[in-house]
Structure formats: C-alpha cells, structure tokens
C-alpha cells in the first residue's frame, strides 16, 4: 500500500525490536521545499533514543524532519534520503546508510561515525562536529556553513566539489586520502590540520588561513589560492602544477621536495622564517615576489622561472646566475644589432626566440655507442640514430653523423610544445617542427592532438596522452643529418619545419651534403659550420645564415 510521506513513514523507520515510537505531527513547523523534497519535509516529534539500532529492514524514510533529537549510541543503516535533523544532539552515532540530500542544522555531533555511507549533497550548518570520523564516505557536493570541525578524521573520502562556506573552522583534524577536487573554500580556517595523500586539484580557496598544519604527498594542481595565509606549516612531496598563489603570504613555512611547475607565485610574500629545500620551481612565475631572508638550498631548481622584480638576498641577478631563471622578461627580439666592440658585461642577458623551429638544450639523442647525450652537448660528426628497423634481437639501427647545426644557441630561450605519451615519454620541440606519424607521414608539433599516434624508436606507436603549449626552455638546437631525420627523446623526428616543404628543403641542402661527405671539401664545410656555431667570423656567419634562410630551412 502506498503510504503518504507522513508521520506513519517516520514511525515505520523508528520501530525496532524493543521500542515503539509515538508522537503527533508538529503543526507549527513549516515545510520547506528542496531539490530532493519539492513538497517539503514532514515533521514529527521524536523522543530520546539510547542504545538502539535501525537497519534497512525497518523502513526507508524520505523527506522526514527530526526535531530536537537526543540520540546516544545509535547505529543507523536504513536509508534516510532528504532527511532534516534540526536541533538537539547526537552522541556516538554511527551511520552506514544513504543520506543524500539531507541536512544537519544546529546539532551537536559528538563522536559521529560514518562508514560506507553516502552523504552526497548533504548540508551541515550552525553546528559542531567533534571527535568524529568519516571513512569510505561520499561527501560529493556537500556544503558546510558556520561549522566547527574539531579533532576529527576524514578518509578515505570523496569530497569533490564540496563547499566550505564562511565561518568554517577546522581544528586538530586529519584528512587522509581525501578528494577535494573542484572544491570551494571561502574564509575557511585550518589549524593543526594534516593533509596527507589528498587531492585538491582545480579547487578554489578564497581568504583561507592554514596554520600549524602539515601537507604531505598531496596534489593541488591548477588550484587557486586567493589571499592565502600559510603560517607555521610544512609542505612535503606536494604538487602545485600551474596553481595560483598570487599575493599569498607565507610565514614560517618549510617546503621540501615541492613541485611548483608553472605555478604563479607573483607578488607572494615569504618571511625570514621560511625555508625551501630540494623543491622545483620550473617555469614558475615569481615576479615581484618577496623572498628576502628565506633559506633556499642549492638543490632547489628555478630553471626558466620568471623572477622580474623579485626581491631576494643578494639581488635577483646573483640569485639567477647559476639557477637559470630570468630577472628580466624575455622579449621577442631574436636578432639584435651587434656592438662594434666586445661588451664589458661578463654575463649578457639571454635573448628570446618566440618560434625557434628547433629542440631545447635538454632534449636527448642516442649515439652509436649506445650512450644518450643532450642537445647542448651534441657536436659535429657525432653519429646519432636516425632509423630503427625490426624489433628485439632482429632490430637494426642506422646511425648518421651530424653534418651541421642550423641553430646552436645555448643561451637563448625559446617557446616550445611538449607532448606526453601514455608511456610517460615526452618530446619537446617547436610547434613548426615535423615529427613522424604512422604510414611515414609528417605532422607538425603544433597540430598534434591528444589521442594521436607517433612513431617511437622501437618502431612501435606511442599514443599522445597530454599536450602542453608555450613551454619556455633554454637552448635552441637544430642538428641536421644526411637523411633529414633523427630520434629525439625516443621519438622519430624530422630535421625540417613547416617553413618549407621537407622534400624541397632536403633538395636544397643536397650541395651541402655532398660538401660534407667529400674530402678535402669536408674541411671547408667544417669552417662554415664553425662560423655558424661559434661566431669566429661574423662575415662568414652572416653570409651563411643568410644563405640558409634563403633556402627556407630556417623560418
């Protein structure tokens, strides 16, 4: 029989083996519609319950209102969807049930336990949650407002898209194995809180204060920390890829093995009690940041970090001299007019190439000796792998000498694309550089899409898992072999770019290939290459560079 959502349904749930519920509807409690209960909740007066269990065999209550309850040591495994708990207290309560779309209002929750329960879209407001635990619980899209969380433990839990509203204070609480992805935290305070194995990717934290806390083995990728205050806390083995910490304030913070790749720390302030140990700020933005007095060890990396206006002990130029960071914004001026006399400055500022049509200095190739060598260490005549036929014990590799460098500029910076394969391998090259795709086709780096396949050094196909555009890296190198190809970072790449069709560019370089192979003409080729590489003769270098640009090999 289809019973209405009235006190009869409430009574059906509350019947247990040793208790009978009696009561009448409360007429003065108005019904409020909600997403799950468009008709509102049904009020009922409930007495106190002690040492009682309610299971799914009793009933399923929906859209019920528990008013001024006083429950002690109650185990609930029945479904209670859309239920409102208003006023009163719960002590040593254990939920293992479906509580979606429920509300806890103005309750005191002491030693509250939730195990294998679903609290998705549940709202907690104007209450204290003390000495409680949530394990294997769904709290997706849950919301907290005017809540004190004290000495509690969460994890593992899925709290994605959770909303911590204003006046939420978390004290002496541990989050372990918790997912906070896409969460929103507004004016939230965390004190003596532990975040371990926690993910808060693409979360938004606004006016949040974290003090006396520990963060370890956690991920905060692409999260936004607006007006963050981090005080007397530690960060260990955490990832903040492309997170935004602009104008954040750090006081007494120690970060160890932190990964701040591409992170925006512009305008952030670090006091003298902070320490940075073995952390990576690769491609980070530290413009106008204040790091005076911060202890930064030599194991920390700031390669390609933008440090314009950064304040640091000893000055920015001294700090970046051996750390490969930038104290001045790179400007797209790859060709500067040479001074008539040598400059007196011992360390010229690096120039910047917006579309280098090359590989960066840390890209690697394989030599015929089996060793791998970085582009920055590659030299003329080095025999590099250009083809791989067969697989396993039958594989035959082909090696060719490097016959010239169109670009070899170790101190120049360029903007590149990075493709990451499902195997974890990655290739960084300019967007106009060709790489090999199946069926011997060529595709520019800038046109590669996620899911495309490219040819690897073992002849197999690698599937592209992710792509990162506009990556700033040091060094611009474009080595050429006789075949016009080579393997870079285990990926089959062409020596040519989109400036000229590869067949035409290869044909135009035919005279140089002949020149490089013939003896004694090989010495003349070496002379031209040395001029290009080291600038020993500006007239020869300029003439040679002009010649190559006319052929269209260099864009």
């Amino acid at each position: 029989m289809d019973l209405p959502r009235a006190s009869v349904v409430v009574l059906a749930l509350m019947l247990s083996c040793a208790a009978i519920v009696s009561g009448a509807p409360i007429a003065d409690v108005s019904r409020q519609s909600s997403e799950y209960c468009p008709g509102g909740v049904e009020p009922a007066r409930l007495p106190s319950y002690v040492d009682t269990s309610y299971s799914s065999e009793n009933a399923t209550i929906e859209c019920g209102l528990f008013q001024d309850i006083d429950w002690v040591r109650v185990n609930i495994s029945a479904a209670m969807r859309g239920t409102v708990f208003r006023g009163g207290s719960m002590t040593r309560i254990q939920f293992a049930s479906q509580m979606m779309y429920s509300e806890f209002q103005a309750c005191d929750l002491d030693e509250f336990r939730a195990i294998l329960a679903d609290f998705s879209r549940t709202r907690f407001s104007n209450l204290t949650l003390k000495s409680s635990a949530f394990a294997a619980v769904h709290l997706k899209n849950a919301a907290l407002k005017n809540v004190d969380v004290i000495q509690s433990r969460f994890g593992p839990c899925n709290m994605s898209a959770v909303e911590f509203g204003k006046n939420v204070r978390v004290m002496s609480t541990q989050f372990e194995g918790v997912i906070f992805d896409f969460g929103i935290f507004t004016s939230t305070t965390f004190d003596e809180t532990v975040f371990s194995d926690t993910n808060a990717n693409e979360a938004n934290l606004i006016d949040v204060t974290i003090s006396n806390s520990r963060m370890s083995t956690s991920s905060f990728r692409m999260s936004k920390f607006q007006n963050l205050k981090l005080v007397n806390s530690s960060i260990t083995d955490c990832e903040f890829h492309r997170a935004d910490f602009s104008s954040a304030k750090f006081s007494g913070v120690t970060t160890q093995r932190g990964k701040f790749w591409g992170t925006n720390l512009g305008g952030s302030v670090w006091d003298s009690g902070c320490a940075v140990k073995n952390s990576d700020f690769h491609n980070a933005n530290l413009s106008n940041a204040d790091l005076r007095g911060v202890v930064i060890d030599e194991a920390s990396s700031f390669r390609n970090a933008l440090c314009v206006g950064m304040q640091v002990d000893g000055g920015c130029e001294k700090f970046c001299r051996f750390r490969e960071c930038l104290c001045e914004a790179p400007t797209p001026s790859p060709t500067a007019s040479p001074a008539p006399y040598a400059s007196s400055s011992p360390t010229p500022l690096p120039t910047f190439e917006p579309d280098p049509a090359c590989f960066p200095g840390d890209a690697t190739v394989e030599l015929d000796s089996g060793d791998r060598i970085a582009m920055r260490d590659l030299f003329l005549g080095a025999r590099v792998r250009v083809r791989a036929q067969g697989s396993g014990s039958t594989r035959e590799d082909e090696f060719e000498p490097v016959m010239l460098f169109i670009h070899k500029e170790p101190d120049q910076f360029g903007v590149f694309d990075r493709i990451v394969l499902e195997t974890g391998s990655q290739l960084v090259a300019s967007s106009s550089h060709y790489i090999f795709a199946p069926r011997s086709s060529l595709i520019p780096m800038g046109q590669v899409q996620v899911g495309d396949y490219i040819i690897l050094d073992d002849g197999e196909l690698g599937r592209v898992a992710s792509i990162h555009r506009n990556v700033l890296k040091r060094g611009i190198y474009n080595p050429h072999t006789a075949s016009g190809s080579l393997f870079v970072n285990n990926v089959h790449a062409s020596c040519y770019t989109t400036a000229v069709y590869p067949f035409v560019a290869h044909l135009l370089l035919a005279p140089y290939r002949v020149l490089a192979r013939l003896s004694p003409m090989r010495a003349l080729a070496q002379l031209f290459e040395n001029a290009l590489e080291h600038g020993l003769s500006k007239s020869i270098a300029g003439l040679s560079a002009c010649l190559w640009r006319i052929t269209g090999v260099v864009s």
Side-chain angles (χ1 to χ4, degrees), residues 294-534:
V294 179
V295 177
I296 304 174
D297 67 3
E298 295 183 357
S300 296
S301 172
F302 291 80
R303 176 175 291 184
N304 296 340
L306 189 61
C307 301
V308 179
M310 183 181 75
Q311 301 181 65
V312 64
D313 294 343
C316 183
E317 290 188 7
K318 179 180 178 182
F319 179 84
C320 288
R321 185 173 301 167
F322 302 106
R323 298 180 185 268
E324 300 184 15
C325 45
L326 302 174
C327 289
E328 292 190 8
T331 55
S333 55
T335 54
S337 300
Y341 301 101
S343 173
S344 60
S345 175
T347 308
L349 292 174
T351 55
F352 175 74
E353 178 75 48
D355 186 13
C358 300
F359 301 102
D362 57 1
T364 62
V365 296
E366 183 180 346
L367 303 179
D368 56 358
S369 63
D371 297 328
R372 302 201 68 84
I373 187 173
M375 284 285 179
R376 67 172 70 93
D377 300 320
L378 191 60
F379 53 91
L380 283 175
R383 293 180 60 82
V384 297
R385 186 142 66 100
V386 297
R387 290 190 188 89
Q389 297 180 351
S391 60
S393 60
T394 62
R395 193 178 83 175
E396 295 183 2
D397 297 329
E398 294 186 24
F399 296 86
E400 293 179 356
V402 176
M403 65 179 190
L404 82 155
F405 284 90
I406 297 299
H407 277 302
K408 192 173 184 181
E409 302 168 67
D411 295 324
Q412 198 166 12
F413 285 78
V415 176
F416 302 90
D417 289 347
R418 176 190 288 118
I419 59 175
V420 181
L421 307 181
E422 291 180 343
T423 59
S425 299
Q426 53 183 277
L427 173 68
V428 180
S430 60
S431 60
S432 60
H433 217 101
Y434 281 111
I435 59 175
F436 285 88
R439 301 182 181 87
S440 300
S441 62
L442 291 173
I443 181 172
M445 282 282 289
Q447 296 181 15
V448 175
Q449 302 294 326
V450 173
D452 288 351
Y453 288 89
I454 59 177
I455 297 178
L456 305 181
D457 58 353
D458 56 3
E460 300 294 331
L461 299 180
R463 190 170 186 268
V464 178
S466 62
I467 300 174
H468 308 274
R469 308 291 186 189
N470 301 321
V471 177
L472 181 66
K473 296 185 75 67
R474 179 187 288 270
I476 296 177
Y477 298 84
N478 190 5
H480 272 257
T481 62
S483 62
S485 69
L486 72 167
F487 284 97
V488 180
N489 287 26
N490 301 321
V491 175
H492 200 189
S494 171
C495 298
Y496 303 115
T497 71
T498 57
V500 174
Y501 190 71
F503 174 78
V504 177
H506 193 69
L507 184 63
L508 290 173
L509 280 175
Y512 191 91
R513 288 195 298 274
V514 174
L515 185 67
R517 290 175 178 175
L518 293 178
S519 179
M521 299 303 292
R522 186 176 302 167
L524 181 59
Q526 181 75 50
L527 175 63
F528 271 80
E529 183 57 35
N530 286 339
L532 281 169
E533 181 178 344
H534 301 292

